[in-house]
Amino acid sequence: MSDKENSKKKITTDYSDCAGKIKRQKSEKSVRDPALREPKSVVEKGYRGTLCLPKTGFSMKANLVQREPLLRKQWAKENIYAQIRKARKGAPLYILHDGPPYANGDIHMGHVINKVLKDLVVKYKTMAGFDAPYVPGWDCHGLPIEAKVVTELGEKVRQMSKLDVRKDCFKYASRYVKLQSKQFQELGIFGDFENPYLTFKPSYEAGILEVFAELVDKGLVYKQLKPIHWSIGCETALAEAELEYKDISSPSIYVNFPVAQESIGRLVELGLVEQSQAENAKVCFMIWTTTPWTLAANLAIAVHPRQDYKAISYDFRASIPDARCSRESRIVSIVATERVEAVVKAAGLKEGQYDISEKLARGSELEGLRYEHPFVENNPTDKDAFMVIPTEYVTIEDGTGLVHTAPGHGLEDYLSGQKYDLAVYSPVMDDGRYDDTVPDWLRGQNVLEVDTVINNYLRQEGLLFAEGEIVHSYPHCWRSKGPVIFRATEQWFISIDKELPPTASLRKQGVVGKSLRDLALQSVKNVRWIPAWGQKRIAGMLESRPDWCISRQRSWGLPLPVFINAEGQTLMTKESVLAVAKHIAEHGSDSWFTDSAREILGEDFELPEGFVLDELQKEENIFDVWFESGCSWYSVCVKEAGWSVPVDLYLEGSDQHRGWFQLSLLPGLGATGEAPFKSVLTHGFTVDEKGMKQSKSLGNYVNAQEEVAKYGSDILRLWVSSVNYQEDVRCNDEIIGRTQDAYRKIRNTLRYLLGNTNDFDPNVNSIAYDEMFEIDKWAMQQLQKLIAGVTEAYENFVFHRVFSLLYNFCTVEMSSIYMDVLKDRMYCDAADSLSRRSAQTAMHRILDCLIRMLAPILVHTMEEAFKVQKSEVRSQKSVESVHIAEMPKVDDSIDFRSAESRWQKLMGLRDEVLRVLEGLRQEKKIASNQQACVTICCDDEDAGVLNEFGLEQFAALCIVSEVKLQKAVGETTVVAEKSSYNKCQRCWNYWPSVGADSDYPDLCKRCVSVVH
Ligand SMILES: [Zn+2]
């Protein structure tokens, strides 16, 4: 045998994560396929026919791109998913409930990570003996789809009815469901792709309404005029999960609101303003804002009741040189004491240019004082306005300590407006333009474009004290990408803080008198979050979230099941919602737009007083698409499949703490009192090699379809398994391509094992563990250790550890040690000898276990290997596909722990021998390790270990001619020299017995016995 490959063996039992090492190892000499190593001289000498060379149909070249589609075709033909379900019928259920991607566009690398991780879980759980169904789903309604369709339709859309737009949306979504389904299946993902769940299916829609009926019944659903996030671009309300925060620059302005004449006396009384100032200066409340356009809707100024306020007086010409107004030369502005310094600085006032009042007043003392709006002459509302109100949320971290309050355009403003009975005034229309209730010069203007106009006006009036710019994080619409505004509109909400009625199920759980928020915060503690920080993250979001705005002013979605009578009163009860659910289950949600209330509710529906069936109008709003997907646990798991909830696992990207996890939790708790999931696993997002977000415009985008077409799915799957998905995942074509090297090493290991067990029948030729050769026992022990580690890693979803354990086992334990040591025995010993059968027993078992442990990752390659093994080795496999087989279990009769220290010693000595031989080879003193005679100089302890193992065995372990021992004290040393023995022309070993047989003078004793 040529054993030049021995030269750089990496002998290490380090199990640390090796994902990062792949590249480094690539530059080293790669381990060549041992099966290819065939000495030429054997052929020349005519001994070739006497060798047992490896033989297998499992080719070295994978040809994944050609081979994978053929396998998938076979799976489709055999309906592998149905076969798996049949095989696991009656086994304990394990439910991973799929989060629905949008039926929009090709799949991208984020989908690849998400779906492959899910498939790893499902395939592992299946092989671990569970009945683990996977029902893929798609989010088919909603703005992302409607926006695309409307864009595609262009001007035509203006002439189309709502129903016709919906028909186009349906076609669009169906098209992408089909496309993405195909692309997911190309990744080797198994699931019920014949019957996926689609949120626009009537049965699914009915499920949403059934959940909604429960929430209605518990009094959690209400309609209110309230400020919500509004997308001007998409003309609809947005939920928290539909916002993207971006840093933008906004104007930062300090504005003086003149105090009303009637209130100045009070300020004099408080000592903030002197009598002379009251007569000669303009007295103002100073506010600060970054949204000048909302000033048009100002109805109050908020102060903190326990904060101190002072007055700054200054000559306004000094601070605002270009102001036209000169009615007063002196201005007195009230600001919070702690903000005086910052406010003065903002206007660039120098010492001597201003005075500060000695006296101060409490915010509570300013309550009820009146002011004149800077540009709105008359109160536009039918309620009181333009006064100072004390509220707790006023902070003195920025601004002036006096807060401009517009109840129609901010949530806190709205709440304090409720408290002081202010109108919810929003003079902004759906398209973002002011309505006619604002001053002439603002009417019809887009609110996002008027900041400069308003600032100019205030400057000219002499009311703009200071202006600047501020960069801050501001919400933007996820679809139109434009900045969103806060705007009061009539919307439907789910109350997060209302106390839930004491239902039987809540009483059973001991939670009475709690709100949805209380229940949610409690339940997230009982869910297993992977990684663990997910709990804190979602809890933080739940603590601060507002009521859920569930209505949308669009076409493509499930209509809100609300009827309105002639007086504008609404009808929405559990019974009416369930009646709508029943109708939609039969006729689909389009029927809401075509059928009458009589047809929908039915003739016999009992209406409350004041409602007449034929006079009922239907609500035009549709559901927030998040409410639809948030009911999937019910529509899919409970209603359709009959599984019990909570299900075992939800697995999505880490942005879903705000999205699907939270918005499934809330309807789940509202309807049943229980969270819909037991565990939640999250993964990071793909970024480029520098950690930057990937996008087509940046040019660092990785096209998933191109990667599959170039490398094959198994390479992508191997790559997904190798990364730490809990962090952001760096990915580009080069990183994915590098995985091919790891793949080749794994494939070659399997090929060697398949090739060398070709003539092995486990039922006939197996050797009992106790009778095995020592090194074969070692291999069996390493296998048990591997199974234990891999099982634990799979159980904990640590797939990159599964990968590194299996990869290291293939490259180190197998390729660098075991397969190398075995070559002589496998090729040269007699075919049916104990030595060969012992090795084959171990190899057969290792191969079988490796194939199964790798099957969830390399779904195509392991199926191929499994089928080759089934056909070539008489292994009597009972199942047709590796994906129906079960995961290997640790063989408890094999003790891999107690022998560990002895093996560590032996492998350490072997390392030392190989190191010395390497030097000898470099000096050209020997051509191969087989030519070397080794003397180990050691103390009694090491000698004892070696003698117990057997020197001949140790020589075989090091693949040398002979090993001798020499007694020494101190450190163990190794001396090697060229062997004086002759070379056997069949096995290339330099053994003492070469030439002993006169019939075969060029062979060793072993080879003579085999050839003879
Ligand atoms: Zn020989």
Side-chain angles (χ1 to χ4, degrees), residues 568-597:
Q569 294 168 303
T570 55
L571 167 67
M572 187 175 64
T573 60
K574 183 177 180 178
E575 292 70 28
S576 73
V577 175
L578 288 177
V580 177
K582 190 163 170 275
H583 188 80
I584 283 182
E586 285 166 27
H587 306 280
S589 57
D590 277 352
S591 65
W592 181 260
F593 303 94
T594 53
D595 296 357
S596 67

Side-chain angles (χ1 to χ4, degrees), residues 824 828 983-989 991 993-994 1002-1008:
D824 179 69
C828 305
K983 178 179 176 181
C984 169
Q985 290 306 316
R986 181 171 174 270
C987 69
W988 286 31
N989 285 305
W991 281 346
S993 64
V994 177
D1002 55 354
L1003 295 188
C1004 69
K1005 196 172 128 201
R1006 183 263 318 262
C1007 289
V1008 170

